[in-house]
Amino acid sequence: DQQVKQNSPSLSVQEGRISILNCDYTNSMFDYFLWYKKYPAEGPTFLISISSIKDKNEDGRFTVFLNKSAKHLSLHIVPSQPGDSAVYFCAASPPAYSGAGSYQLTFGKGTKLSVIP
Amino acid sequence: DGGITQSPKYLFRKEGQNVTLSCEQNLNHDAMYWYRQDPGQGLRLIYYSQIVNDFQKGDIAEGYSVSREKKESFPLTVTSAQKNPTAFYLCASMEGWDRGLLGYTFGSGTRLTVV
């Protein structure tokens, strides 16, 4: 049972336009969400995160939106640049104090973003 | 610079052999994790450890073993019992399992190929 879903395996966007990557989750216990960026043959690097007490978090060209009622989050990249071409993973976790056993992230399968010059 | 070092970057193994992947961190992080990445599968948790001398199975632990004798080190052994070991393996750490807002720091990965 996939608790974090990224339904688009790939996305192509023109340079300078907006990239929107989507993520849905099913576990209502999740309250913290992260986006990671991964280049081939490298480890993922942290991009941006959002807590469930917020509905938006912005960092430069990257903005994450959270819609708790819909259990949906999205990552917006504006403007998109060729260097943004990578696989983007959405990840989620329950509260650390939830007693769910331990802290661990649940990842989606990733979306491969291609930014075309 | 602090970080996580995975070695080797590429590893070839004959069928039926055990092989150990190294993961070392100098971030003074408490928790460490092993993930496996396969095409179209995302990241799947193999094992994790919150503290020295303690570790827990993840979603796909069969055919793998780990140890956590030191805070800095969390080696993963891929045994001959793992049916499909060819994959990209990622090690990660986190400052404290009760301070989860920081997320993971990942190593650069090890590509294991069974020949």
Side-chain angles (χ1 to χ4, degrees), chain A residues 32 36 38 41 102-103 105, chain B residues 9 33 48 50 94 100-101 104:
Chain A
Y32 188 65
Y36 283 84
K38 185 183 181 300
S102 68
Y103 178 81
L105 296 178
Chain B
K9 192 161 180 67
Y33 306 81
Y48 62 96
Q50 295 175 321
M94 197 185 70
L101 293 182
Y104 294 169

Side-chain angles (χ1 to χ4, degrees), chain B residues 64-86:
Chain B
Y64 299 98
S65 66
V66 293
S67 63
R68 187 88 187 272
E69 298 176 1
K70 299 185 300 182
K71 189 175 185 178
E72 303 79 17
S73 178
F74 192 41
L76 173 75
T77 297
V78 184
T79 75
S80 56
Q82 168 50 234
K83 301 255 188 294
N84 186 19
T86 294

Side-chain angles (χ1 to χ4, degrees), chain B residues 26-97:
Chain B
N26 60 4
L27 299 164
N28 200 33
H29 285 180
D30 295 318
M32 297 186 75
Y33 306 81
W34 274 105
Y35 283 85
R36 168 180 171 144
Q37 185 190 12
D38 296 281
Q41 291 290 328
L43 303 178
R44 293 185 292 170
L45 182 65
I46 305 172
Y47 266 99
Y48 62 96
S49 168
Q50 295 175 321
I51 196 169
V52 173
N53 291 324
D54 183 62
F55 47 83
Q56 308 294 331
K57 291 182 179 180
D59 301 320
I60 54 164
E62 185 175 350
Y64 299 98
S65 66
V66 293
S67 63
R68 187 88 187 272
E69 298 176 1
K70 299 185 300 182
K71 189 175 185 178
E72 303 79 17
S73 178
F74 192 41
L76 173 75
T77 297
V78 184
T79 75
S80 56
Q82 168 50 234
K83 301 255 188 294
N84 186 19
T86 294
F88 188 59
Y89 290 86
L90 285 160
C91 181
S93 71
M94 197 185 70
E95 182 172 349
W97 72 273

